[in-house]
Amino acid sequence: MASLNVGNLGEYLREQRRNAQLSLRQLADAAGVSNPYLSQIERGLRKPSAEVLQQVAKALRISAETLYVRAGILDEKERDELETRAVILADPSINERQKQVLLQIYESFRKENGFEVSSYADDVAYADGSSFSDEVDATADGPRTADGSGASPKDHPSS
């Protein structure tokens, strides 16, 4: 899908704001931007930075990546990859270590299938303060159990 222009970004933001039942002023306050600036974005007069889009997305509780695509900052493929990571990171049914391992597996499959491993993987931060890049070599320190803890030699019949 081709990148959409700034006017379409503004229309999309206005629609999302209305769906969230927020006034322009309420959204501006929640996003930490000025009311006139947000109005100009909605009317297609201003192209916001990625940082502003992230703040607005957070206030609207929507994907920042979707806004990045609409603003022409990301292409559709990059967004899909980022959203996959975001879904994994947001899953409350698995712990932080499991999320990290799942992301490592995802990256290894992408690499095996000929896709470049995204530089965005380096930017993923976890609740415990670590990042994906901290964990890339984690599998080199030995086998792990399903819960992400270290497996002892007795857990592996081949040992």
Side-chain angles (χ1 to χ4, degrees), residues 1 4 9 12-13 16 53 57 62-74 76 79-80 82-83:
M1 178 174 135
L4 301 174
L9 168 66
Y12 180 77
L13 282 175
Q16 294 302 309
L53 288 174
I62 62 174
S63 163
E65 290 78 17
T66 300
L67 296 183
Y68 296 161
V69 169
R70 290 193 176 259
I73 296 171
L74 280 181
E76 195 75 26
R79 183 196 69 165
D80 291 345
L82 287 171
E83 285 185 346

Short mmCIF file of all heavy atoms in Angstrom, two decimals, residues 1 4 9 12-13 16 53 57 62-74 76 79-80 82-83:
data_model
loop_
_atom_site.label_atom_id
_atom_site.label_comp_id
_atom_site.label_asym_id
_atom_site.label_seq_id
_atom_site.Cartn_x
_atom_site.Cartn_y
_atom_site.Cartn_z
N MET A 1 0.85 -1.18 0.00
CA MET A 1 0.00 0.00 0.00
C MET A 1 0.89 1.24 0.00
O MET A 1 1.83 1.35 0.77
CB MET A 1 -0.87 -0.02 1.26
CG MET A 1 -1.76 1.16 1.42
SD MET A 1 -2.84 0.88 2.84
CE MET A 1 -2.73 2.44 3.63
N LEU A 4 0.04 7.35 2.43
CA LEU A 4 -1.03 8.32 2.26
C LEU A 4 -0.52 9.71 2.59
O LEU A 4 0.46 9.87 3.32
CB LEU A 4 -2.20 7.95 3.17
CG LEU A 4 -2.78 6.56 2.90
CD1 LEU A 4 -3.82 6.22 3.94
CD2 LEU A 4 -3.37 6.47 1.51
N LEU A 9 -3.90 11.66 6.84
CA LEU A 9 -3.50 11.45 8.22
C LEU A 9 -4.41 12.27 9.13
O LEU A 9 -4.93 11.76 10.12
CB LEU A 9 -2.04 11.86 8.44
CG LEU A 9 -1.59 11.94 9.91
CD1 LEU A 9 -1.60 10.57 10.55
CD2 LEU A 9 -0.22 12.58 10.00
N TYR A 12 -7.86 10.82 9.31
CA TYR A 12 -7.82 9.61 10.13
C TYR A 12 -7.75 9.96 11.62
O TYR A 12 -8.47 9.38 12.44
CB TYR A 12 -6.63 8.73 9.72
CG TYR A 12 -6.52 7.46 10.51
CD1 TYR A 12 -7.36 6.38 10.24
CD2 TYR A 12 -5.58 7.32 11.53
CE1 TYR A 12 -7.26 5.21 10.96
CE2 TYR A 12 -5.47 6.15 12.25
CZ TYR A 12 -6.31 5.10 11.97
OH TYR A 12 -6.21 3.93 12.69
N LEU A 13 -6.90 10.93 11.97
CA LEU A 13 -6.79 11.35 13.37
C LEU A 13 -8.12 11.90 13.89
O LEU A 13 -8.53 11.60 15.01
CB LEU A 13 -5.69 12.39 13.55
CG LEU A 13 -4.28 11.87 13.57
CD1 LEU A 13 -3.29 13.03 13.62
CD2 LEU A 13 -4.07 10.94 14.74
N GLN A 16 -10.44 9.02 14.53
CA GLN A 16 -10.06 8.29 15.74
C GLN A 16 -10.40 9.09 17.00
O GLN A 16 -10.86 8.53 18.00
CB GLN A 16 -8.57 7.96 15.71
CG GLN A 16 -8.16 6.99 14.62
CD GLN A 16 -8.91 5.68 14.71
OE1 GLN A 16 -8.96 5.06 15.76
NE2 GLN A 16 -9.51 5.27 13.60
N LEU A 53 3.45 12.05 16.71
CA LEU A 53 2.52 10.98 16.34
C LEU A 53 2.45 9.92 17.42
O LEU A 53 1.38 9.39 17.73
CB LEU A 53 2.91 10.35 15.00
CG LEU A 53 2.66 11.22 13.77
CD1 LEU A 53 3.22 10.54 12.54
CD2 LEU A 53 1.17 11.52 13.60
N ALA A 57 -0.87 8.91 19.35
CA ALA A 57 -1.32 7.51 19.32
C ALA A 57 -1.51 6.98 20.73
O ALA A 57 -2.51 6.30 21.01
CB ALA A 57 -0.30 6.66 18.57
N ILE A 62 -4.10 3.92 20.24
CA ILE A 62 -4.01 3.23 18.95
C ILE A 62 -2.54 3.00 18.63
O ILE A 62 -1.66 3.54 19.30
CB ILE A 62 -4.70 4.02 17.81
CG1 ILE A 62 -4.04 5.38 17.59
CG2 ILE A 62 -6.20 4.16 18.07
CD1 ILE A 62 -4.58 6.14 16.38
N SER A 63 -2.29 2.24 17.58
CA SER A 63 -0.94 1.92 17.17
C SER A 63 -0.23 3.13 16.57
O SER A 63 -0.71 3.72 15.61
CB SER A 63 -0.99 0.78 16.14
OG SER A 63 0.21 0.68 15.44
N ALA A 64 0.92 3.47 17.12
CA ALA A 64 1.71 4.56 16.55
C ALA A 64 2.18 4.19 15.15
O ALA A 64 2.27 5.05 14.27
CB ALA A 64 2.92 4.85 17.45
N GLU A 65 2.44 2.91 14.94
CA GLU A 65 2.91 2.47 13.62
C GLU A 65 1.88 2.76 12.54
O GLU A 65 2.23 3.10 11.41
CB GLU A 65 3.27 0.98 13.66
CG GLU A 65 4.52 0.68 14.46
CD GLU A 65 4.33 0.69 15.96
OE1 GLU A 65 3.17 0.60 16.45
OE2 GLU A 65 5.34 0.81 16.68
N THR A 66 0.60 2.62 12.86
CA THR A 66 -0.45 2.93 11.89
C THR A 66 -0.37 4.40 11.50
O THR A 66 -0.51 4.75 10.32
CB THR A 66 -1.84 2.60 12.47
OG1 THR A 66 -1.88 1.21 12.77
CG2 THR A 66 -2.95 2.94 11.51
N LEU A 67 -0.14 5.26 12.47
CA LEU A 67 0.00 6.69 12.17
C LEU A 67 1.26 6.95 11.36
O LEU A 67 1.25 7.79 10.47
CB LEU A 67 0.00 7.51 13.46
CG LEU A 67 -1.28 7.48 14.29
CD1 LEU A 67 -1.15 8.42 15.50
CD2 LEU A 67 -2.48 7.84 13.46
N TYR A 68 2.34 6.23 11.67
CA TYR A 68 3.57 6.41 10.91
C TYR A 68 3.37 6.06 9.44
O TYR A 68 3.87 6.74 8.55
CB TYR A 68 4.70 5.53 11.46
CG TYR A 68 5.15 5.86 12.86
CD1 TYR A 68 5.86 4.91 13.60
CD2 TYR A 68 4.89 7.08 13.47
CE1 TYR A 68 6.30 5.18 14.89
CE2 TYR A 68 5.32 7.36 14.75
CZ TYR A 68 6.02 6.40 15.46
OH TYR A 68 6.45 6.66 16.72
N VAL A 69 2.62 4.99 9.18
CA VAL A 69 2.34 4.60 7.79
C VAL A 69 1.51 5.68 7.11
O VAL A 69 1.81 6.11 6.00
CB VAL A 69 1.62 3.23 7.72
CG1 VAL A 69 1.10 2.95 6.32
CG2 VAL A 69 2.56 2.12 8.17
N ARG A 70 0.48 6.17 7.78
CA ARG A 70 -0.37 7.20 7.20
C ARG A 70 0.38 8.50 6.95
O ARG A 70 0.05 9.24 6.04
CB ARG A 70 -1.59 7.43 8.07
CG ARG A 70 -2.54 6.25 8.02
CD ARG A 70 -3.89 6.59 8.61
NE ARG A 70 -4.77 5.45 8.46
CZ ARG A 70 -5.68 5.34 7.52
NH1 ARG A 70 -5.86 6.32 6.64
NH2 ARG A 70 -6.45 4.28 7.43
N ALA A 71 1.40 8.76 7.76
CA ALA A 71 2.20 9.98 7.59
C ALA A 71 3.35 9.78 6.61
O ALA A 71 4.07 10.73 6.31
CB ALA A 71 2.74 10.44 8.94
N GLY A 72 3.54 8.55 6.14
CA GLY A 72 4.61 8.28 5.19
C GLY A 72 5.96 8.04 5.84
O GLY A 72 6.98 8.04 5.16
N ILE A 73 6.00 7.84 7.14
CA ILE A 73 7.24 7.60 7.86
C ILE A 73 7.67 6.14 7.74
O ILE A 73 8.85 5.84 7.64
CB ILE A 73 7.11 8.02 9.35
CG1 ILE A 73 6.86 9.52 9.43
CG2 ILE A 73 8.34 7.61 10.15
CD1 ILE A 73 6.50 10.02 10.82
N LEU A 74 6.72 5.24 7.76
CA LEU A 74 6.96 3.80 7.61
C LEU A 74 6.22 3.28 6.40
O LEU A 74 5.18 3.81 6.04
CB LEU A 74 6.40 3.03 8.81
CG LEU A 74 7.16 2.97 10.11
CD1 LEU A 74 6.39 2.12 11.11
CD2 LEU A 74 8.55 2.43 9.93
N GLU A 76 4.23 -0.18 4.74
CA GLU A 76 3.31 -1.19 5.28
C GLU A 76 4.05 -2.41 5.85
O GLU A 76 3.67 -2.93 6.90
CB GLU A 76 2.33 -1.62 4.18
CG GLU A 76 1.13 -2.38 4.67
CD GLU A 76 0.10 -1.49 5.34
OE1 GLU A 76 0.03 -0.31 5.04
OE2 GLU A 76 -0.63 -2.01 6.19
N ARG A 79 5.48 -1.68 9.21
CA ARG A 79 4.42 -1.59 10.20
C ARG A 79 3.99 -2.98 10.65
O ARG A 79 3.82 -3.24 11.84
CB ARG A 79 3.23 -0.83 9.66
CG ARG A 79 2.14 -0.68 10.75
CD ARG A 79 0.83 -0.30 10.21
NE ARG A 79 0.30 -1.42 9.45
CZ ARG A 79 -0.94 -1.51 9.07
NH1 ARG A 79 -1.79 -0.56 9.34
NH2 ARG A 79 -1.37 -2.54 8.39
N ASP A 80 3.80 -3.89 9.70
CA ASP A 80 3.38 -5.24 10.05
C ASP A 80 4.38 -5.91 10.99
O ASP A 80 4.00 -6.56 11.97
CB ASP A 80 3.18 -6.09 8.80
CG ASP A 80 2.00 -5.65 7.96
OD1 ASP A 80 1.14 -4.88 8.48
OD2 ASP A 80 1.91 -6.05 6.79
N LEU A 82 6.52 -4.38 13.01
CA LEU A 82 6.47 -3.71 14.31
C LEU A 82 5.23 -4.10 15.09
O LEU A 82 5.27 -4.28 16.30
CB LEU A 82 6.52 -2.20 14.13
CG LEU A 82 7.86 -1.62 13.71
CD1 LEU A 82 7.73 -0.16 13.36
CD2 LEU A 82 8.89 -1.82 14.80
N GLU A 83 4.11 -4.23 14.40
CA GLU A 83 2.88 -4.61 15.10
C GLU A 83 2.96 -6.04 15.64
O GLU A 83 2.43 -6.32 16.70
CB GLU A 83 1.67 -4.42 14.19
CG GLU A 83 1.32 -2.95 14.05
CD GLU A 83 0.06 -2.69 13.24
OE1 GLU A 83 -0.44 -3.61 12.56
OE2 GLU A 83 -0.43 -1.56 13.32
#
